[in-house]
Amino acid sequence: MDFSLSWILLGLPLAFGLGWVASRLDLRQLRIDNRQAPKAYFKGLNFLLNEQQDQAIDAFIEAVQNDPDTSELHFALGNLFRRRGEYERAVRVHEHLLSRGDLSEADRQRAQHALALDFLKAGLLDRAEDALRKLEGTPFANQARLARLAIYERSREWPQAAEMARKLEAAGEASFTGRLAHYLCEQAAGLTASGDTAAARQLLEQAVADAPQSARPRIQLAALQRTQGQDAQALETLTALVEALPPALPLAAAQLAKAAGACGQAAKALALLKAGYHQTPSLDVLEAMVALESSDPASAATARDWYIRHLEREPSLIAAARWLAGERLEREPCHPPLQRALDHAAKPLNRYRCAACGFEAKEHFWQCPGCQAWDSYPPRRVEEL
């Protein structure tokens, strides 16, 4: 008993001493780890500020290894991977965050949003859509809806895009009236291509009623009316467009002239075109006026004088090339090379340019093929801007 008691008395101080030594070692290691993690973090931040992304990623990986529970480092690393186009690594980082049981609800929602962006940037639209759906009811809901709207537009799922636009409008994000009219027009174009003109017309009439200040529904409706032989109705539709939205006349001018010529109301259309032209000179309106007057025997001889009047008012290579194309020169052999030179010089000026990204195209687009913005193409050509 005495032997056992003596060992116990000797062992207690020894155990206390060993425990004290172990605690000091743990504290020392903790201090070392705490010094290493901020050092690696600030080193990564320095690399990032100097746009050295490879070195920044290595530093952040080191910091994450030293302190695997730090969620902010994971977010920084995932965002870096996404910016570099390493989407698979970004997905792994954000999925690892979501798998952690100790993650706060706010960080979990943030990680879900980051994961959705990874899929979106990688072009995995189905997986991005599923990830974005999970953000409903969170602070990221409207951002997720905007991203889903872009997905639906990109995949041309117009009914789903319209539903998402209505939700965003109801949430006070912005007015989507014009864009909703475009969705109806896109659906109408598909129905027209498949031969269901009655359903297409119904959608276009709805778009006109919903967005009376939008040019596209009336222009598309007039085109449909003309294909059905209803030129007088098409002329009325385009006249209503010009009265409601005068800047849209250049987009409707050619079609208005054709409809008027077909239904015998050239004089009415010419008066409308001249009024718009005198207010704002336009090459498309000029072409429509020349076409209408050329079709009338009484004014055909002087129809092309409009080009000269336009040149007196506005210097234009396009108008000069169009005038020269119908003239006979004293030195006739010089005409073809001169015409080719003018046409070549005027070609870049005859395009339309997106006001959002600068993408140029031969025809007018309602949605820019470059940046996907709606109504970003002015109704005037590059030479007129």
Side-chain angles (χ1 to χ4, degrees), residues 185-233:
C185 291
E186 291 287 350
Q187 293 177 71
L191 290 169
T192 302
S194 63
D196 193 353
T197 55
R201 184 164 182 164
Q202 186 176 359
L203 287 178
L204 291 172
E205 289 172 349
Q206 180 185 340
V208 170
D210 293 346
Q213 293 300 315
S214 181
R216 184 183 182 181
R218 284 193 173 98
I219 291 175
Q220 202 165 320
L221 177 60
L224 181 60
Q225 290 168 334
R226 290 197 64 235
T227 60
Q228 296 175 331
Q230 300 170 345
D231 292 289
Q233 289 188 27

Side-chain angles (χ1 to χ4, degrees), residues 45 92 133 138 168 193 205 220 223 242 257 263 270 321 327:
L45 185 60
R92 285 204 302 268
R133 285 182 187 277
T138 72
L168 285 164
E205 289 172 349
Q220 202 165 320
V242 174
C263 66
L270 191 58
E327 293 299 307

Side-chain angles (χ1 to χ4, degrees), residues 8-23:
I8 290 171
L9 291 173
L10 288 172
L12 282 173
L14 182 62
F16 177 79
L18 290 173
W20 182 84
V21 171
S23 67

Side-chain angles (χ1 to χ4, degrees), residues 362-384:
K362 293 180 181 179
E363 59 180 293
H364 180 274
F365 285 101
W366 299 107
Q367 185 183 26
C368 176
C371 64
Q372 306 299 307
W374 291 97
D375 293 320
S376 60
Y377 276 86
R380 301 170 68 79
R381 299 178 188 273
V382 169
E383 189 182 58
E384 302 173 284

Side-chain angles (χ1 to χ4, degrees), residues 290 293-294 296-307 309:
V290 172
E293 288 202 348
S294 298
D296 183 1
S299 58
T302 59
R304 303 185 70 261
D305 290 346
W306 277 106
Y307 290 124
R309 295 173 201 164

